[in-house]
Amino acid sequence: MSQVALLKGGRSLERQISLRSGAQVQDSLERLGHEVTAIDVGPDLVDRLEAARADVAFVALHGRGGEDGTVQELLDVLGLPYTGSGPAACIRCMDKVIAKHALRDAGIPTPDFYAFSEAAFNDLGAARALPAIEARLEFPIVVKPAAGGSALGIKFAASAADVPGALVAAFSYDTKVILERHVAGRDLAVSVLGPAGAPRALPVVEAIPRDEDFYDFEARYEIGRTTFRCPAELGDEVTARAHELALGAYRELGCYGFARVDLMLEAATGELYVLEVNAIPGLTETSLLPQAADAAGIDFDALVAEILELALARETSTAAG
Ligand SMILES: Nc1ncnc2c1ncn2[C@@H]1O[C@H](COP(=O)(O)OP(=O)(O)O)[C@@H](O)[C@H]1O
Ligand SMILES: [Mg+2]
């Protein structure tokens, strides 16, 4: 049995979700017989980690600081093995611009996009290029911050008149924004579990929004406002393709342990597009990864046990060379 430092909370916009993920994981780790020290991460993190004398850290953080490679880098420096992806993969996943370029370069379909920094607008007059972008992407256009999460700051612009407001909203979350082609269709997620060399894709989850034309932050976390179906009702071919793209994205971005790949299935063409990869997806009992694992016969405790084993296995393989 291990001495586990459970990292949760933090100061990101997804703090509340992280606290819930952390509480579920903590209960599970204790059921599995581990000794757990829960740490709400803050400026005293290093001291608290040292006091915890942990063998391994379980990182149940989402968003900035916890999911973007910052905590991972620190844990690497401290020599403490931890769950999930390392700094490089976290950095790539957290920044949708970097992730989408990597996916596109690897031939993994992702909706067409243009990305701009605040400096492009302020210093280079990028606003003058908006009509050309609008002509290429066609309305509606999706406007989102590069480093988002939980649909925060995402707006659908139905016409040119909506674009400035959508940009302002997205820029309130990040200094870089994406204008992306809207894919009309079904919202799918494929969770991936396993070591870098042999990851496996779990059953596809479909998120079905109720009444809402957009699946937003509130819809996502208010019970009953979104229905999840797992496994999603898809033909074998689409399922196989979703698995293939998710595994491709996981490998391409260098993920380790677990991740969740969000996709859209375009209604008009039947084509799948990868929207993003979440390096640390939600781990509450009703989150998508735990639901998918459950559908594959892996209950929450078995999932937590596997994620922890992978963390320790990575340490051994690193030590071995
Ligand atoms: N290009 C797009 N076309 C259609 N829907 C989109 C598009 N981009 C995002 N969405 C919707 O917004 C949700 C959140 O977008 P996503 O890119 O996964 O960001 P995040 O989950 O990090 O906030 C998606 O699950 C989907 O419902
Ligand atoms: Mg998403």
Side-chain angles (χ1 to χ4, degrees):
M1 292 301 106
S2 301
Q3 194 77 36
V4 185
L6 173 77
L7 309 191
K8 61 173 184 175
R11 291 172 56 190
S12 92
L13 295 168
E14 292 166 282
R15 170 178 172 81
Q16 294 308 324
I17 303 156
S18 167
L19 290 176
R20 284 169 48 195
S21 291
Q24 301 276 0
V25 170
Q26 180 170 1
D27 288 350
S28 173
L29 287 168
E30 283 168 355
R31 281 194 297 271
L32 291 164
H34 299 294
E35 195 82 45
V36 183
T37 306
I39 300 176
D40 189 340
V41 307
D44 57 353
L45 177 60
V46 173
D47 291 338
R48 295 190 63 185
L49 280 171
E50 275 169 5
R53 303 195 166 279
D55 313 311
V56 57
F58 197 112
V59 186
L61 296 165
H62 309 304
R64 264 200 199 111
E67 192 178 351
D68 65 1
T70 309
V71 155
Q72 290 76 11
E73 191 84 51
L74 190 59
L75 292 167
D76 275 341
V77 170
L78 298 175
L80 190 61
Y82 54 89
T83 55
S85 296
C90 287
I91 289 166
R92 287 192 280 262
C93 290
M94 194 67 198
D95 186 326
K96 291 186 174 81
V97 179
I98 296 177
K100 284 173 67 75
H101 277 292
L103 295 173
R104 191 158 72 180
D105 290 349
I108 296 169
T110 184
D112 282 346
F113 68 104
Y114 297 93
F116 287 104
S117 60
E118 235 158 14
F121 281 96
N122 296 342
D123 307 339
L124 301 177
R128 294 273 293 121
L130 286 175
I133 292 171
E134 291 160 4
R136 285 186 212 169
L137 298 179
E138 297 180 356
F139 288 103
I141 291 171
V142 184
V143 182
K144 58 174 90 168
S150 305
L152 291 167
I154 301 189
K155 295 256 185 290
F156 289 3
S159 71
D162 294 338
V163 173
L167 285 171
V168 169
F171 274 127
S172 73
Y173 288 93
D174 197 358
T175 54
K176 232 169 27 179
V177 301
I178 297 176
L179 293 112
E180 187 173 68
R181 183 175 80 81
H182 178 257
V183 178
R186 294 161 71 180
D187 215 308
L188 306 178
V190 178
S191 296
V192 179
L193 186 61
R200 56 196 201 282
L202 299 177
V204 183
V205 182
E206 177 173 10
I208 306 164
R210 270 199 210 154
D211 334 310
E212 238 83 7
D213 61 345
F214 176 44
Y215 168 47
D216 68 2
F217 188 66
E218 284 100 292
R220 221 173 251 217
Y221 296 102
E222 259 175 44
I223 309 279
R225 290 186 65 193
T226 305
T227 314
F228 296 102
R229 189 170 295 151
C230 184
E233 284 175 26
L234 304 167
D236 292 346
E237 243 173 73
V238 177
T239 301
R241 175 81 174 144
H243 281 174
E244 178 195 336
L245 293 182
L247 289 170
Y250 188 86
R251 269 194 218 103
E252 205 51 51
L253 298 178
C255 296
Y256 180 89
F258 66 108
R260 194 190 78 225
V261 182
D262 292 345
L263 307 104
M264 293 298 302
L265 172 59
E266 192 165 39
T269 60
E271 293 293 330
L272 285 158
Y273 294 90
V274 173
L275 289 179
E276 63 150 351
V277 179
N278 298 281
I280 310 185
L283 292 169
T284 72
E285 243 156 325
T286 54
S287 297
L288 306 194
L289 167 60
Q291 282 189 53
D294 200 64
I298 305 165
D299 69 20
F300 194 79
D301 289 354
L303 173 66
V304 167
E306 178 160 355
I307 289 171
L308 195 70
E309 272 161 33
L310 287 166
L312 294 161
R314 175 168 54 188
E315 190 226 7
T316 315
S317 60
T318 313

